Amino acid sequence: MLIQRWKEPLVLGDGRIRIVLGSAEEAMNWLIHEPNQNSEKWRHAWRTCNAAHEGRLSAEEARSAVQLAAAPSR
């Protein structure tokens, strides 16, 4: 499967570090290193990125899921 780049990269950061994700595959690599893998947002992002990687969902759907997973919890 060819990597489908997102139209606009997702830029994450906390003021000390900046992470730029440009595809579902890159997001999966970031997600695997996230400490809170038990959250529903993390699991949704992982499933969505995997589906985009396999061609079952669009790359932009994966981007939206990752953006939600990266948002601070309230």
Side-chain angles (χ1 to χ4, degrees):
M1 174 98 213
L2 293 174
I3 294 177
Q4 268 191 304
R5 306 299 294 177
W6 294 336
K7 292 177 184 170
E8 185 177 326
L10 190 57
V11 180
L12 311 175
D14 63 3
R16 295 175 294 152
I17 189 169
R18 181 177 177 217
I19 300 168
V20 180
L21 304 173
S23 69
E25 291 78 8
E26 289 177 7
M28 289 175 78
N29 188 43
W30 173 74
L31 285 165
I32 200 71
H33 291 93
E34 276 297 288
N36 191 7
Q37 296 181 3
N38 292 324
S39 74
E40 182 54 38
K41 291 192 311 184
W42 185 94
R43 288 192 301 267
H44 174 67
W46 181 265
R47 287 190 305 263
T48 306
C49 286
N50 192 46
H53 171 69
E54 293 174 351
R56 295 182 285 121
L57 288 176
S58 75
E60 294 304 316
E61 288 180 80
R63 184 185 185 282
S64 295
V66 173
Q67 190 170 22
L68 287 173
S73 298
R74 292 184 180 211

XYZ file of all heavy atoms in Angstrom:
591
model
N 0.846 -1.181 0.000
C 0.000 0.000 0.000
C 0.885 1.237 0.000
O 1.793 1.349 0.808
C -0.892 -0.040 1.241
C -1.718 1.174 1.464
S -3.329 0.852 0.832
C -3.866 2.390 0.241
N 0.608 2.149 -0.886
C 1.325 3.411 -0.906
C 0.832 4.320 0.214
O -0.345 4.303 0.567
C 1.111 4.118 -2.243
C 1.719 3.434 -3.458
C 1.311 4.167 -4.730
C 3.225 3.398 -3.344
N 1.732 5.097 0.747
C 1.361 6.024 1.801
C 0.613 7.199 1.194
O 1.059 7.782 0.220
C 2.610 6.518 2.559
C 3.242 5.354 3.315
C 2.269 7.657 3.497
C 4.517 5.713 4.026
N -0.532 7.503 1.759
C -1.315 8.670 1.338
C -1.003 9.807 2.291
O -1.341 9.746 3.473
C -2.809 8.367 1.403
C -3.389 7.860 0.132
C -4.901 7.848 0.247
O -5.455 7.237 1.153
N -5.552 8.524 -0.664
N -0.326 10.829 1.792
C 0.008 11.987 2.610
C -1.247 12.825 2.856
O -2.107 12.926 1.989
C 1.056 12.851 1.905
C 2.313 12.135 1.477
C 3.105 11.521 2.564
N 3.661 12.526 3.463
C 4.351 12.231 4.547
N 4.568 10.985 4.882
N 4.838 13.175 5.306
N -1.335 13.405 4.054
C -2.434 14.286 4.369
C -2.262 15.599 3.624
O -1.137 16.034 3.362
C -2.492 14.550 5.863
C -2.826 13.322 6.667
C -3.493 12.221 6.240
C -2.499 13.072 8.020
N -3.613 11.308 7.246
C -3.004 11.804 8.363
C -1.828 13.788 8.993
C -2.870 11.250 9.626
C -1.688 13.233 10.256
C -2.211 11.978 10.564
N -3.364 16.244 3.297
C -3.296 17.534 2.596
C -2.562 18.560 3.439
O -1.811 19.369 2.921
C -4.703 18.037 2.269
C -5.396 17.183 1.230
C -6.807 17.655 0.980
C -7.475 16.696 0.004
N -8.902 16.941 -0.108
N -2.801 18.524 4.731
C -2.122 19.432 5.655
C -1.576 18.621 6.825
O -2.332 17.922 7.506
C -3.110 20.477 6.171
C -2.486 21.526 7.034
C -3.490 22.580 7.458
O -4.394 22.897 6.658
O -3.362 23.077 8.587
N -0.270 18.676 7.065
C 0.294 17.913 8.188
C -0.308 18.347 9.515
O -0.766 19.483 9.676
C 1.780 18.250 8.140
C 2.022 18.853 6.823
C 0.733 19.438 6.355
N -0.302 17.442 10.444
C -0.785 17.712 11.790
C 0.432 18.049 12.651
O 1.373 17.258 12.728
C -1.505 16.479 12.330
C -2.290 16.593 13.611
C -3.351 17.680 13.509
C -2.952 15.273 13.928
N 0.435 19.216 13.270
C 1.570 19.652 14.089
C 1.162 19.576 15.555
O 0.196 20.218 15.981
C 2.002 21.091 13.722
C 3.184 21.520 14.584
C 2.351 21.181 12.245
N 1.882 18.769 16.304
C 1.620 18.585 17.724
C 2.798 19.133 18.511
O 3.925 19.117 18.028
C 1.455 17.098 18.051
C 0.512 16.288 17.179
C 0.566 14.829 17.568
C -0.895 16.830 17.282
N 2.547 19.592 19.704
C 3.647 20.068 20.528
C 3.157 20.597 21.853
O 1.977 20.873 22.031
N 4.105 20.738 22.770
C 3.777 21.243 24.098
C 4.638 22.448 24.476
O 4.764 22.778 25.644
C 3.922 20.132 25.140
C 5.347 19.623 25.251
O 6.244 20.155 24.565
O 5.568 18.686 26.036
N 5.233 23.087 23.502
C 6.099 24.221 23.779
C 7.568 23.842 23.856
O 8.442 24.657 23.633
N 7.847 22.587 24.186
C 9.225 22.115 24.259
C 9.591 21.262 23.055
O 10.731 21.210 22.646
C 9.440 21.288 25.528
C 9.290 22.094 26.804
C 9.392 21.213 28.009
N 8.217 20.314 27.996
C 8.194 19.108 28.532
N 9.238 18.618 29.128
N 7.103 18.381 28.476
N 8.608 20.574 22.519
C 8.856 19.653 21.417
C 7.783 19.867 20.355
O 6.638 20.192 20.679
C 8.874 18.184 21.902
C 9.354 17.264 20.807
C 7.521 17.780 22.428
C 9.656 15.856 21.292
N 8.168 19.680 19.123
C 7.227 19.826 18.007
C 7.269 18.542 17.188
O 8.326 18.111 16.737
C 7.637 21.015 17.153
C 6.727 21.256 16.001
C 7.173 22.502 15.267
N 6.331 22.692 14.106
C 6.748 23.137 12.951
N 8.000 23.485 12.792
N 5.924 23.257 11.949
N 6.102 17.946 16.976
C 5.987 16.705 16.206
C 5.099 16.992 15.011
O 3.991 17.515 15.165
C 5.380 15.572 17.064
C 6.280 15.311 18.273
C 5.176 14.314 16.234
C 5.653 14.435 19.314
N 5.581 16.650 13.821
C 4.824 16.868 12.598
C 4.474 15.507 12.011
O 5.357 14.698 11.726
C 5.633 17.701 11.575
C 4.819 17.914 10.314
C 6.047 19.036 12.181
N 3.178 15.259 11.865
C 2.689 13.997 11.301
C 2.056 14.294 9.953
O 1.230 15.193 9.847
C 1.660 13.364 12.233
C 2.113 13.117 13.675
C 0.948 12.644 14.521
C 3.255 12.132 13.706
N 2.421 13.514 8.942
C 1.922 13.774 7.605
C 1.148 12.648 6.975
O 0.706 12.749 5.836
N 0.956 11.544 7.710
C 0.230 10.397 7.156
C -0.269 9.517 8.295
O 0.186 9.635 9.435
C 1.139 9.581 6.236
O 2.145 8.934 6.998
N -1.165 8.611 7.955
C -1.678 7.658 8.953
C -0.554 6.776 9.476
O -0.514 6.447 10.664
C -2.786 6.806 8.340
N 0.382 6.419 8.608
C 1.494 5.557 9.016
C 2.402 6.273 10.020
O 2.834 5.684 11.014
C 2.287 5.103 7.785
C 1.527 4.144 6.891
C 0.491 4.830 5.978
O 0.443 6.080 5.908
O -0.282 4.104 5.347
N 2.676 7.543 9.766
C 3.467 8.324 10.715
C 2.716 8.473 12.035
O 3.323 8.412 13.107
C 3.790 9.705 10.143
C 4.798 9.671 9.023
C 5.058 11.038 8.427
O 4.558 12.067 8.956
O 5.778 11.096 7.412
N 1.410 8.660 11.955
C 0.603 8.790 13.167
C 0.617 7.498 13.975
O 0.675 7.542 15.206
C -0.825 9.182 12.806
N 0.593 6.360 13.309
C 0.641 5.084 14.026
C 1.968 4.955 14.774
O 2.001 4.454 15.901
C 0.437 3.914 13.061
C -0.982 3.830 12.540
S -1.214 2.550 11.302
C -1.278 1.105 12.365
N 3.047 5.414 14.166
C 4.342 5.382 14.826
C 4.328 6.281 16.064
O 4.862 5.920 17.112
C 5.441 5.824 13.855
C 6.809 5.618 14.426
O 7.093 4.590 15.022
N 7.667 6.600 14.246
N 3.696 7.437 15.965
C 3.577 8.329 17.122
C 2.671 7.697 18.185
O 3.001 7.707 19.379
C 3.029 9.687 16.678
C 2.715 10.592 17.813
C 3.601 11.276 18.604
C 1.418 10.906 18.324
N 2.931 11.994 19.559
C 1.573 11.781 19.408
C 0.126 10.532 17.956
C 0.510 12.294 20.138
C -0.942 11.043 18.670
C -0.747 11.908 19.750
N 1.541 7.141 17.754
C 0.583 6.561 18.702
C 1.191 5.415 19.500
O 0.895 5.268 20.687
C -0.666 6.066 17.961
C -1.641 7.137 17.485
C -2.613 6.558 16.462
C -2.380 7.752 18.652
N 2.021 4.617 18.873
C 2.602 3.456 19.565
C 3.512 3.895 20.712
O 3.750 3.134 21.647
C 3.331 2.512 18.570
C 3.503 1.118 19.167
C 4.674 3.066 18.175
C 2.235 0.346 19.288
N 3.962 5.141 20.681
C 4.833 5.654 21.733
C 4.089 6.504 22.765
O 4.697 6.993 23.709
C 5.980 6.464 21.119
C 6.928 5.607 20.368
N 6.813 5.389 19.012
C 7.985 4.866 20.782
C 7.768 4.567 18.632
N 8.486 4.240 19.672
N 2.808 6.673 22.588
C 2.019 7.443 23.540
C 1.781 6.619 24.806
O 1.503 5.428 24.729
C 0.666 7.820 22.924
C 0.718 9.052 22.071
C 1.099 10.269 22.880
O 0.298 10.769 23.675
O 2.235 10.727 22.697
N 1.875 7.252 25.977
C 1.735 6.497 27.230
C 0.317 6.029 27.536
O 0.140 5.001 28.169
C 2.227 7.481 28.297
C 2.082 8.826 27.680
C 2.226 8.632 26.197
N -0.715 6.757 27.106
C -2.085 6.415 27.477
C -2.779 5.657 26.350
O -3.687 6.158 25.707
C -2.871 7.680 27.848
C -4.196 7.345 28.482
O -4.494 6.192 28.765
N -5.006 8.340 28.708
N -2.370 4.424 26.142
C -2.930 3.628 25.054
C -4.246 2.959 25.427
O -4.846 2.288 24.596
C -1.913 2.592 24.604
C -0.679 3.231 24.016
C 0.337 2.216 23.551
O 0.107 1.009 23.606
N 1.467 2.696 23.084
N -4.701 3.145 26.629
C -5.962 2.539 27.050
C -7.158 3.459 26.865
O -8.291 3.041 27.081
C -5.885 2.097 28.513
C -4.927 0.942 28.682
O -4.832 0.069 27.828
N -4.187 0.948 29.778
N -6.913 4.695 26.465
C -8.032 5.624 26.308
C -8.816 5.290 25.037
O -8.275 4.767 24.067
C -7.533 7.069 26.246
O -6.923 7.330 25.003
N -10.084 5.622 25.062
C -10.926 5.377 23.889
C -10.477 6.220 22.708
O -10.506 5.763 21.572
C -12.396 5.654 24.210
C -13.331 5.377 23.045
C -13.212 3.970 22.453
O -13.020 3.014 23.216
O -13.319 3.840 21.216
N -10.021 7.463 22.946
C -9.535 8.319 21.860
C -8.323 7.686 21.182
O -8.203 7.715 19.968
C -9.169 9.712 22.392
C -10.360 10.526 22.827
C -10.059 11.987 23.093
C -8.882 12.271 23.960
N -8.712 13.706 24.253
N -7.415 7.105 21.975
C -6.229 6.454 21.409
C -6.648 5.261 20.564
O -6.186 5.092 19.441
C -5.277 6.008 22.528
C -3.995 5.448 21.985
C -2.839 6.127 21.789
C -3.749 4.104 21.539
N -1.875 5.295 21.250
C -2.420 4.043 21.089
C -4.515 2.957 21.458
C -1.843 2.884 20.592
C -3.934 1.798 20.950
C -2.618 1.770 20.528
N -7.519 4.420 21.114
C -7.950 3.218 20.382
C -8.658 3.581 19.088
O -8.454 2.941 18.058
C -8.832 2.341 21.267
C -8.051 1.643 22.363
C -8.851 0.554 23.045
N -10.080 1.034 23.654
C -10.202 1.423 24.914
N -9.149 1.403 25.707
N -11.353 1.828 25.391
N -9.500 4.630 19.112
C -10.198 5.083 17.909
C -9.195 5.573 16.864
O -9.295 5.231 15.676
C -11.194 6.184 18.261
C -11.839 6.799 17.063
N -12.708 6.102 16.249
C -11.725 8.028 16.526
C -13.099 6.886 15.251
N -12.515 8.065 15.404
N -8.215 6.361 17.292
C -7.194 6.862 16.362
C -6.413 5.703 15.759
O -6.137 5.682 14.549
C -6.260 7.829 17.076
N -6.048 4.723 16.576
C -5.290 3.576 16.086
C -6.103 2.792 15.045
O -5.608 2.469 13.971
C -4.892 2.657 17.234
C -4.084 1.492 16.770
C -4.543 0.240 16.460
C -2.687 1.489 16.505
N -3.502 -0.550 16.041
C -2.353 0.195 16.054
C -1.677 2.433 16.615
C -1.052 -0.166 15.720
C -0.384 2.075 16.280
C -0.083 0.786 15.829
N -7.347 2.490 15.366
C -8.200 1.739 14.426
C -8.402 2.515 13.123
O -8.363 1.935 12.036
C -9.561 1.432 15.069
C -9.526 0.368 16.145
C -10.925 -0.056 16.576
N -11.739 1.070 17.010
C -11.916 1.445 18.276
N -11.320 0.770 19.243
N -12.682 2.458 18.574
N -8.616 3.815 13.235
C -8.855 4.637 12.052
C -7.600 4.722 11.184
O -7.675 4.603 9.956
C -9.331 6.044 12.462
O -10.467 5.897 13.313
C -9.719 6.864 11.253
N -6.448 4.918 11.800
C -5.188 4.965 11.040
C -4.911 3.620 10.374
O -4.465 3.570 9.220
C -4.022 5.352 11.949
S -4.001 7.090 12.400
N -5.174 2.544 11.076
C -4.967 1.215 10.499
C -5.887 1.008 9.299
O -5.459 0.490 8.260
C -5.191 0.141 11.556
C -4.725 -1.209 11.090
O -3.645 -1.347 10.539
N -5.554 -2.213 11.304
N -7.139 1.426 9.425
C -8.088 1.294 8.316
C -7.653 2.160 7.128
O -7.778 1.741 5.971
C -9.493 1.672 8.771
N -7.130 3.346 7.390
C -6.646 4.208 6.307
C -5.432 3.572 5.642
O -5.300 3.584 4.413
C -6.300 5.591 6.845
N -4.556 2.996 6.429
C -3.376 2.310 5.897
C -3.779 1.146 4.985
O -3.172 0.918 3.947
C -2.501 1.811 7.043
C -1.391 0.931 6.611
N -0.308 1.394 5.892
C -1.195 -0.391 6.771
C 0.498 0.382 5.638
N -0.017 -0.711 6.163
N -4.826 0.449 5.375
C -5.304 -0.689 4.581
C -6.209 -0.265 3.427
O -6.658 -1.109 2.653
C -6.048 -1.672 5.490
C -5.129 -2.345 6.494
C -5.869 -3.206 7.493
O -7.124 -3.167 7.536
O -5.181 -3.922 8.246
N -6.522 1.026 3.323
C -7.336 1.529 2.229
C -8.826 1.460 2.464
O -9.616 1.692 1.554
N -9.242 1.171 3.693
C -10.672 1.073 4.002
C -11.297 2.406 4.379
O -12.510 2.544 4.343
C -10.894 0.053 5.119
C -10.521 -1.362 4.716
C -10.791 -2.382 5.805
N -9.787 -2.291 6.858
C -10.058 -2.033 8.142
N -11.292 -1.860 8.544
N -9.084 -1.970 9.027
N -10.488 3.374 4.787
C -10.955 4.722 5.117
C -10.023 5.732 4.466
O -8.900 5.401 4.105
C -10.950 4.944 6.637
C -12.003 4.231 7.467
C -11.780 4.505 8.949
C -13.399 4.671 7.070
N -10.493 6.961 4.373
C -9.652 7.994 3.760
C -8.562 8.440 4.737
O -8.712 8.328 5.963
C -10.503 9.201 3.367
O -10.866 9.947 4.507
N -7.501 8.944 4.170
C -6.393 9.449 4.981
C -6.846 10.617 5.844
O -6.396 10.770 6.985
C -5.238 9.863 4.074
N -7.747 11.437 5.337
C -8.217 12.601 6.100
C -9.052 12.193 7.318
O -9.049 12.891 8.330
C -8.985 13.556 5.197
C -8.122 14.199 4.120
C -6.906 14.957 4.663
O -7.051 15.703 5.653
O -5.812 14.795 4.094
N -9.748 11.062 7.232
C -10.475 10.563 8.403
C -9.489 10.181 9.505
O -9.739 10.411 10.690
C -11.356 9.368 8.035
C -12.571 9.741 7.221
C -13.413 8.528 6.869
O -14.177 8.077 7.739
O -13.289 8.054 5.719
N -8.380 9.595 9.101
C -7.348 9.226 10.072
C -6.768 10.473 10.715
O -6.536 10.513 11.924
C -6.254 8.415 9.388
N -6.542 11.513 9.918
C -6.001 12.766 10.444
C -6.925 13.328 11.517
O -6.474 13.753 12.580
C -5.807 13.784 9.328
C -5.161 15.074 9.789
C -5.112 16.109 8.664
N -4.399 17.290 9.049
C -4.890 18.256 9.825
N -6.128 18.162 10.295
N -4.155 19.303 10.145
N -8.224 13.330 11.253
C -9.187 13.851 12.229
C -9.172 13.049 13.518
O -9.237 13.624 14.610
C -10.600 13.831 11.639
O -10.695 14.708 10.548
N -9.069 11.744 13.409
C -9.036 10.890 14.607
C -7.781 11.147 15.431
O -7.839 11.188 16.668
C -9.126 9.417 14.195
N -6.661 11.320 14.763
C -5.415 11.590 15.475
C -5.465 12.966 16.140
O -5.016 13.153 17.277
C -4.190 11.477 14.528
C -2.918 11.931 15.221
C -4.051 10.052 14.025
N -6.048 13.929 15.447
C -6.177 15.263 16.022
C -7.013 15.215 17.293
O -6.666 15.859 18.296
C -6.818 16.191 14.992
C -6.781 17.641 15.378
C -7.209 18.546 14.228
O -7.903 18.110 13.306
N -6.793 19.780 14.280
N -8.074 14.431 17.292
C -8.891 14.283 18.513
C -8.109 13.587 19.623
O -8.204 13.960 20.785
C -10.158 13.499 18.198
C -11.224 14.231 17.412
C -12.360 13.262 17.025
C -11.775 15.406 18.185
N -7.345 12.575 19.260
C -6.576 11.827 20.261
C -5.479 12.699 20.878
O -5.128 12.534 22.049
C -5.959 10.586 19.637
N -4.950 13.637 20.095
C -3.870 14.492 20.594
C -4.381 15.676 21.400
O -3.598 16.305 22.130
C -3.044 15.000 19.408
N -5.660 15.954 21.313
C -6.229 17.099 22.045
C -6.161 16.834 23.535
O -6.374 15.707 23.992
C -7.667 17.338 21.617
N -5.867 17.870 24.313
C -5.816 17.697 25.776
C -7.170 17.254 26.321
O -8.214 17.702 25.859
C -5.457 19.084 26.301
C -5.161 19.940 25.133
C -5.612 19.221 23.905
N -7.131 16.366 27.293
C -8.369 15.892 27.935
C -8.893 16.947 28.879
O -8.150 17.680 29.502
C -8.101 14.612 28.720
O -7.663 13.611 27.857
N -10.205 16.979 28.986
C -10.834 17.949 29.903
C -11.449 17.254 31.054
O -11.819 16.202 31.099
C -11.897 18.749 29.161
C -11.265 19.642 28.133
C -12.338 20.486 27.509
N -11.729 21.352 26.529
C -12.180 22.530 26.249
N -13.219 23.008 26.844
N -11.606 23.268 25.344
